[in-house]
Amino acid sequence: MNATLSSAEKNPIIYQNYRKLPADMFMESNPTPSSAPTLIDLNNNLLEQLDVDSTWFRSEQGISILSGSTINADNPPIVMAYSAHQFGQWVPLLGDGRAHMLGQIETSDGTKIDIQLKGSGRTQFSRAGDGRATLGSVLREYLVSEAMAGLNIPTTRSLAVLGTGNNVIRGRAFPGAILVRTATSHLRIGSFEYAITRLGDDGVKSLTDYIITQNFPELESSPSKYLELFGEIIKRQASLISQWMLVGFIHGVMNTDNTSIVGETIDYGPCAFMDEFNPAKVFSSIDHNGRYAWDQQPSIAYWNLSMLANILLPLFDANKERAVDKAKEQLEMFDLVFRDAFEKGMHKKLGLSDISKESEQFISDTLTNLTKENIDFTIFFDRITRVANKDDRADTQLLELFTNQQTGKTWFEQWRNYRAESTTSFISMRHANPIIIARNHRVEQAIDAATDHNDFEPFRRLSRVLANPFEINPADRELETPPQPKEIVLQTYCGT
Ligand code: AMP
Ligand code: MG
């Protein structure tokens, strides 16, 4: 049984905007109380950025609510229904199977931010699952999502980690934990797929009006607001995917239920940053056909957006043909925005300001060289940034990355020529080329220390360094190194 908060007690989670959605889209659901809740980590950086006071989050009441033990009877938690195309297959009913939406807090500028618990017990949508999360999967999402935020890439954020005191069985017993996740919205393409299936066009219209009011109020008075919303969703996805690719990120489960309407990275399951560059790289243990490989991500995002287009058509135009034409016109924008962002991003990474056919070819050749030479993506761009800064021995260290010295020297020569004609500064290169990413083996080491030895120091250290990936203290440089052969993580898993 959950304890309940009396109305006299103040807590900052006072909104529950999703109650404005059609009634079939959500249900009340109580988290499972934790047997021995502990606050393992509170993300003070995030609270500072949101300009929200941290006192409540550390208080007894705060911990009791965030660990699912106490609920606010005046604003009960809900779970949301959604459908999905998972790996291209239609799944009519998914929904929050291990997450509870507590509601929203308000930041000092009036923005409402979702506070959701993940790993907080079974819900009406759990199917055969236990509704739980292991400490390891929670720390993984924390580290990778906060690394993403450090890289200035839109993402859900990790606000806190709580130990539940309960064990979670995944082959063996693991400590259970809850991640407190924040987002600008938790609505996904899958929410629209659910609305059309269960509620038809009226349901879709209500859902679309809701999202405009909550997250795109600037569109509200426009006569073509639905089409403009779709355009904005497309632009955000195209820009997001380009940003992922520019830092070597592979999401791994780009299903429609994991495609956020507001363009934030969501669902850190089998995702990973790659070490050695390989455009066909896949980590996810269940992605056998390379559907979500690094270089497949734009076409998959486009496919997901086409699913959304089908659902929104009646809102674009009463005439079906005209509606289809309008949707197509918007969808065509995806490729343009993606290519533009990716090309500009690559130019910045290489320190080239002038975009030409030749410089585009040079980028393509650079990526081919990295693949052939098995060069670490992050280290390569970090070293050229050091060359641009005229650091000691940087030239030698760059060439050392190439097995074939002649390939290296030829590439270096060409790069110097392109650089000479360009004006992009070292500072701009530095902002495009992180020194550190959330490397799988480092994430695993932090998880193992916490899970097996109750030692959270490696987790804290890694999250501190990842928060500012464009600078590094000499003492932390070892966190930057690629894995030794025995440290290589070959596969990553969903929902563990
Ligand atoms: P994901 O692959 O994390 O996007 O999850 C797909 C679906 O499975 C979502 O509806 C989740 O809520 C659900 N799910 C994942 N893990 C669990 C679990 N341990 N218990 C119940 N539902 C789960
Ligand atoms: Mg998901």
Side-chain angles (χ1 to χ4, degrees), residues 139-333:
L139 295 183
R140 184 163 212 284
E141 171 151 353
Y142 190 112
L143 288 169
V144 186
S145 65
E146 287 306 302
M148 201 61 98
L151 292 162
N152 302 315
I153 300 177
T155 178
T156 60
R157 302 286 304 263
S158 295
L159 178 59
V161 177
L162 290 106
T164 60
N166 306 93
N167 276 339
V168 179
I169 309 300
R170 297 284 181 268
R172 69 170 174 98
F174 288 93
I178 292 175
L179 179 74
V180 183
R181 175 162 83 175
T182 70
T184 315
S185 170
H186 275 82
L187 292 174
R188 316 121 191 275
I189 293 186
S191 314
F192 284 79
E193 293 178 306
Y194 178 85
I196 190 74
T197 315
R198 294 293 173 110
L199 308 166
D201 291 338
D202 289 347
V204 172
K205 183 169 182 308
S206 305
L207 175 58
T208 313
D209 285 334
Y210 170 88
I211 196 109
I212 290 176
T213 307
Q214 298 300 327
N215 298 98
F216 300 85
E218 64 285 1
L219 300 180
E220 214 140 19
S221 54
S222 163
S224 52
K225 61 183 172 183
Y226 300 119
L227 198 61
E228 283 173 43
L229 172 70
F230 184 50
E232 185 59 30
I233 295 169
I234 291 173
K235 275 192 234 154
R236 290 190 188 189
Q237 280 296 321
S239 154
L240 180 67
I241 309 299
S242 74
Q243 292 180 75
W244 288 353
M245 290 174 67
L246 288 164
V247 291
F249 181 74
I250 301 162
H251 183 283
V253 266
M254 285 178 69
N255 297 323
T256 52
D257 58 318
N258 296 330
T259 309
S260 152
I261 292 295
V262 293
E264 291 172 352
T265 312
I266 188 167
D267 200 314
Y268 290 86
C271 61
F273 288 87
M274 61 182 160
D275 299 305
E276 288 169 0
F277 181 71
N278 172 3
K281 184 73 192 166
V282 172
F283 284 98
S284 169
S285 61
I286 55 171
D287 188 358
H288 304 296
N289 302 315
R291 181 180 168 95
Y292 300 150
W294 180 82
D295 65 352
Q296 296 303 304
Q297 299 185 107
S299 62
I300 291 292
Y302 180 91
W303 190 89
N304 290 341
L305 291 162
S306 323
M307 295 296 111
L308 180 61
N310 281 332
I311 297 166
L312 297 178
L313 284 179
L315 295 176
F316 296 160
D317 203 299
N319 175 297
K320 178 101 194 269
E321 260 171 52
R322 274 206 302 270
V324 170
D325 286 345
K326 286 180 182 175
K328 279 188 180 157
E329 204 179 303
Q330 294 296 318
L331 279 167
E332 274 168 21
M333 222 169 44

